[in-house]
Each structure stands twice: as structure tokens, then as C-alpha cells.
Amino acid sequence: MENLTPEDLFSPSKARQQRLQAQDWAQIDSWLSYKYAGRTPPTFERNEETLKVMRELSTANERADEERVIQERLEREALKELDERTVHPTDASLLSSLTTSLTPTGHTALQSLTSTALTLSVPTPTPETLAHALIASTALSQSLRTQIAHVHTLQQYLETQHSLLRTQLAELTSNPAFSTPPSLQRQTNEQVRQTKHLKGRIRECEDKILALSSGSTSAQRGGKGSTVDVGIASAESILQMLEQQKVVEELREKVERLEKEVSAFAGLPADREAARREVSRLEVDLDGVRRKRDGLFEGLVGR
């Protein structure tokens, strides 16, 4: 109920869903406290997916407990029946005669056959049945031994990788080289502002060039009496146009240079912390590529 928002107070369906989830979590907490018998259960994230998995785990555990109780009851009843079972006198006499007639070697062989049959759970201890059961048990044991060795190797590999990742994480969090400069956002904003300003200046200069070009064309179409004035105006206009064109070229080069600098930060998020994490991730990738390059170079030098 503590997760209810003000909007949920006016939605009966959401309130009912929150109440059911709270009841489920209460049952899960009670089950975990019972299973851990006074110890503190490990912490975990409480969300809908975790709740679903914990419900399935609790149900499966309860079902397994019920099956184990039934199996134990059946075993106790079977042992009780075996204890209460009476031996027929004829069978007892036959067993006594057989055991007394056997030599010590035969008695040992009979005991070995009996123990082998019981260990392998073979109801009819014929040589063929015992051989097949023994082969199957040996194959199963070897397969389990191989799987245990594989799991042990995988566990060692995972422990090594886990230690390596923890070392890298400690280096990333403690090394100042992987921290984002505090002035990154300010520099980016300043470069964007300069780019917009220079683009506006370029448009103004281009408009002036077009105006000068149109004025020069109209002056050339005037009468012959104003030929000298037109020539002087045209020369001055050409000089101004050349100077402005030079300024425009310089501004265009500056804009292109600023756009290249800004494009390096184009893929970064707008949020400062997210940008810092992205820069840290890219620096880690760069460091990995450098180590790989150094390893390849050392391998070539070793050859």
C-alpha cells in the first residue's frame, strides 16, 4: 500500500492490484523467514517480475515438501511392514540349511551377491542383470564426474572474470582520467551558440553579395553619360564584394571547424550525468582497443 500514488487513490482497480501485491509480498516474506529460520534473507529488488518468480518458487517448494512428506510416510510404512512380516517356517529351514551347507568362500560370495543386488536395486540378481546394472551405474558415475569437472572449471572462470570486472569497476570509479570534465556542458553550449551566430553572419553576407551583384548589373544598364560614375561604383563594389567574400570564406572555415568540434559530441545525451557515463564507457572501449593493439604489437615483436 505504500506504493500507491495520488492517482491510484481514485482508481479502485489499481488500489485492489496494489493490495493483492502487498498480500503476496507478505506471504513471500513469511515463507522466506520460515525457510531461513531466524537468519536474515538476502536483499533483492521488489518488482512484479521478482514477485512472479518468488510465487512460483514458493509453490514449487511447497509441492516438493508435500511430496517428501508423502515419500517419508510411505518409507516408514514399508519398513514397518517389513519388520512385522513373519518368515515362513519352511523358508527359515531352507535358509538355515543353505547357510550351514555353504563353505566360508560360498558364504562370502553369497553375502557379496546380496549386497551388490541391494546396492544396485536389482530384484533378480542374475549375472546378466547385475552386469547390466553395474555398467549403467559406472557410466552414470563417469558422466556425473565429467559434468562436475566442467562445472568446477566454469566456476573458476566465472570467479576470475568476476574479480577482473570488480578491478575494472574500481579503476573506473577511482581514476580521475575517466571522469567527465565539469566544463564539458558549458563548452558544448558555447560552441553551439557560436555556430548559430556564424551561420547567421554567413546568411547576412550572402544577402549583401547578392544585393551588390544586382546593383552592379542595374548600373551597367544605365545611359552613356554616367559611364565614369558607373565604372567607379563598379570598381568600389567589386572591391567591397571581394573583401566581403574573403570574410565569408573565413567565417565559413570557422563554422566548419566548429561544426567538426561539435560533431564529436553529437552522440552524447543532453543530460550531464548521462553524457559523463557515455564518455566513460567510450574511454573504457578505447583503453581496451589500445591494450589489444599493444598485445598484437608485442606478439609481432616476439616473433
Side-chain angles (χ1 to χ4, degrees), residues 198 201-202 204-206 208-209 239-255:
L198 292 176
R201 291 287 304 277
I202 289 174
E204 292 178 1
C205 293
E206 289 177 349
K208 289 181 179 179
I209 291 173
L239 291 175
Q240 293 178 359
M241 183 174 61
L242 291 175
E243 292 177 357
Q244 291 180 357
Q245 186 176 1
K246 184 178 180 180
V247 174
V248 169
E249 292 296 333
E250 293 177 354
L251 291 176
R252 182 178 288 108
E253 292 177 358
K254 188 174 181 180
V255 169

Side-chain angles (χ1 to χ4, degrees), residues 212 215-216 219-220 223-241:
L212 291 173
S216 175
Q220 290 178 0
K224 295 181 180 180
S226 60
T227 304
V228 178
D229 296 336
V230 170
I232 296 173
S234 300
E236 293 178 353
S237 299
I238 291 173
L239 291 175
Q240 293 178 359
M241 183 174 61

Side-chain angles (χ1 to χ4, degrees), residues 53-72:
V53 174
M54 296 297 289
R55 281 201 301 260
E56 294 176 355
L57 181 61
S58 175
T59 303
N61 188 266
E62 292 177 357
R63 190 182 302 112
D65 291 341
E66 293 176 357
E67 292 177 356
R68 187 177 66 256
V69 170
I70 294 173
Q71 184 178 0
E72 291 177 354

